[in-house]
């Protein structure tokens, strides 16, 4: 039995679909089980990782537990900031998983900035969670990805909304910073295969597509694939808080989510190497294929103004 935490989230939801389609028994853990549509082969359980409520029941009888949770959207001051909540959640998880005899945690976090650069608050917190999991459960696998491209990925949706709705983009110098985004289908494939890849035990692995692109170039390519004639150009506001407020207003996403994500754009986010693809025998899709697929998927649910 595999436990998927964060099953109501973007990555967790896709993974539950994927594992149950394969016929693997899945326990889907969510804070509010009413938010999960019933699905054959999927057992829904209630779990709050910060309070620890439901942990014993959720982990009972599981070999592998996927850790696909972050708390960036909540601003409840009673439990401190998102980093403190995520630290507590990861520690609660490790203690309960150890007691339950879980063999492997599988985590997806973020690609780290270059050595010597201070990570953003969001990134530092993702790396701290990785550390807690790898040190707490020796057989675990931690993946790191930058932007996951898919119709329901927050970071991709923000880029598409900006292309769709703005003529001037609030990405000043960051336009030149580079990363290698990954198609959601490839990210899910790495996660799904992780329990079976023995050589991945204890490893932190970067997963990425083959194209290293600047954020400016990514936006240009998305605009092209969306059929937007005009090219959005950057304007010169260098302040993350101000730019994040504009982006949050334009995209309709909470500023508590947008700001930490934007703080992470301040450096290159490049994969350390290609060892994950080699170890898992995968060849991730190109940026253009990923964007085409995500836009088509998006349009099946809702029209896109610029297409
Ligand atoms: N999306 C990307 O582009 C991307 C890129 C790189 C890495 N990642 C990593 O992938 C992982 C999943 O991200 P995502 O994009 O799927 O996020 P998401 O859609 O925002 O989902 C976050 C999940 O965490 C759950 N959660 C929050 N607090 C919780 C708590 N106290 N107890 C139990 N569950 C809790 C949420 O449940 P509720 O529904 O109850 O709020 C939700 O299911 C994260 O580690 C993220 O860093 C994502």
């Amino acid at each position: 039995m595999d436990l998927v935490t964060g099953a109501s989230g973007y990555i967790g939801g896709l993974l539950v679909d994927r594992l149950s389609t394969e016929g693997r028994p899945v326990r889907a853990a969510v804070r509010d089980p009413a938010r999960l549509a019933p699905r054959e082969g999927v057992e829904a359980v209630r779990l709050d990782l910060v309070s620890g409520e439901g942990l014993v029941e959720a982990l009972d009888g599981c070999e592998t537990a996927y850790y696909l949770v972050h708390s960036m959207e909540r601003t409840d001051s009673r439990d401190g900031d998102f980093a403190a909540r995520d630290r507590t959640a990861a520690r609660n998880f490790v203690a309960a998983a150890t007691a339950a005899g879980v063999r492997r945690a599988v985590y997806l976090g973020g690609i780290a900035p270059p050595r010597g650069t201070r990570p953003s608050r969001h990134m530092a917190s993702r790396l701290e969670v990785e550390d807690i999991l790898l040190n707490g459960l020796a057989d675990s696998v931690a993946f790191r990805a930058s932007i996951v491209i898919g119709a329901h990925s927050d970071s991709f949706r923000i880029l598409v909304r900006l292309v769709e709705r703005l003529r001037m983009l609030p990405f000043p110098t960051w336009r030149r910073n580079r990363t290698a985004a990954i198609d959601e289908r490839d990210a899910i494939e790495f996660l799904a295969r992780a329990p079976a890849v023995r050589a991945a035990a204890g490893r932190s692995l970067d997963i990425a597509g083959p194209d290293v692109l600047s954020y400016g170039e990514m936006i240009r390519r998305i605009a092209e694939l969306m059929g937007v004639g005009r090219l959005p150009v950057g304007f010169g506001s260098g302040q993350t808080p101000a730019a994040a407020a504009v982006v949050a207003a334009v995209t309709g996403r909470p500023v508590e989510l947008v700001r930490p994500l934007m703080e992470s754009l301040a450096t290159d986010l490049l994969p350390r190497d290609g060892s994950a693809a080699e170890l898992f025998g995968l060849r991730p899709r190109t940026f253009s294929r990923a964007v085409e697929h995500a836009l088509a998927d998006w349009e099946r649910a809702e029209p896109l103004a610029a297409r």
Side-chain angles (χ1 to χ4, degrees):
M1 169 80 83
D2 293 337
L3 172 70
V4 178
T5 65
S8 54
Y10 163 55
I11 299 286
L14 287 177
L15 185 66
V16 167
D17 284 349
R18 166 60 201 269
L19 299 181
S20 63
T21 303
E22 254 183 53
R24 284 158 65 173
V26 183
R27 188 172 291 154
V30 283
R31 283 187 290 190
D32 177 7
R35 289 188 51 200
L36 275 192
R39 195 181 163 130
E40 207 182 314
V42 178
E43 179 195 345
V45 293
R46 187 184 299 276
L47 168 66
D48 188 318
L49 279 162
V50 176
S51 71
E53 197 189 329
L55 258 172
V56 174
E57 298 80 356
L59 288 162
D60 183 43
C62 291
E63 275 251 306
T64 302
Y66 287 95
Y67 194 96
L68 301 169
V69 164
H70 69 79
S71 3
M72 262 191 320
E73 271 186 73
R74 289 179 61 223
T75 50
D76 185 343
S77 56
R78 278 174 310 151
D79 358 281
D81 61 13
F82 67 79
R85 285 194 297 275
D86 279 328
R87 184 179 310 123
T88 303
R91 286 181 178 158
N92 286 343
F93 173 84
V94 163
T98 306
V102 170
R103 193 177 59 86
R104 173 170 286 188
V106 180
Y107 171 62
L108 178 63
I111 285 186
R115 216 177 268 278
T117 315
R118 209 161 69 122
S120 69
R121 289 178 307 144
H122 166 55
M123 201 58 71
S125 167
R126 296 290 78 204
L127 293 170
E128 184 184 13
V129 169
E130 176 186 286
D131 237 38
I132 295 171
L133 298 177
L134 286 179
N135 288 324
L137 288 165
D139 235 15
S140 298
V141 185
F143 294 110
R144 297 180 181 177
S146 63
I147 295 176
V148 176
I149 300 177
H152 302 284
S153 163
D154 266 322
S155 32
F156 178 70
R157 287 182 79 86
I158 287 170
L159 293 179
V160 171
R161 287 292 186 218
L162 290 174
V163 169
E164 198 182 37
R165 296 175 182 174
L166 279 189
R167 279 176 182 282
M168 304 273 268
L169 294 176
F171 287 106
T173 50
W174 308 323
R175 282 201 305 283
R176 290 182 215 108
N177 295 336
R178 297 162 306 152
T179 194
I182 183 165
D183 190 310
E184 66 180 14
R185 293 168 292 179
D186 295 317
I188 295 300
E189 192 61 40
F190 277 109
L191 289 166
R193 290 189 191 185
V197 180
R198 293 177 83 109
R203 303 273 308 263
S204 157
L205 297 163
D206 291 348
I207 56 172
D211 303 301
V212 173
L213 301 171
S214 68
Y215 296 104
E217 178 62 12
M218 277 194 271
I219 285 167
R220 194 188 67 72
R221 291 217 198 166
I222 292 171
E224 204 173 280
L225 291 163
M226 286 173 71
V228 180
R230 61 183 164 73
L231 256 191
V233 290
F235 70 78
S237 150
Q239 301 299 314
T240 300
V246 174
V247 172
V250 169
T251 59
R253 301 301 291 145
V255 75
E256 293 80 18
L257 173 78
V258 172
R259 189 167 157 181
L261 286 178
M262 284 189 69
E263 283 169 358
S264 303
L265 305 185
T267 63
D268 282 344
L269 293 176
L270 301 176
R272 286 163 290 181
D273 56 38
S275 57
E278 215 170 287
L279 204 59
F280 281 70
L282 284 174
R283 211 171 71 165
R285 294 164 175 87
T286 62
F287 182 79
S288 296
R289 276 188 74 192
V291 172
E292 279 287 17
H293 172 261
L295 293 175
D297 202 14
W298 189 328
E299 279 191 316
R300 274 193 284 277
E302 176 196 354
L304 271 167
R307 292 259 279 183

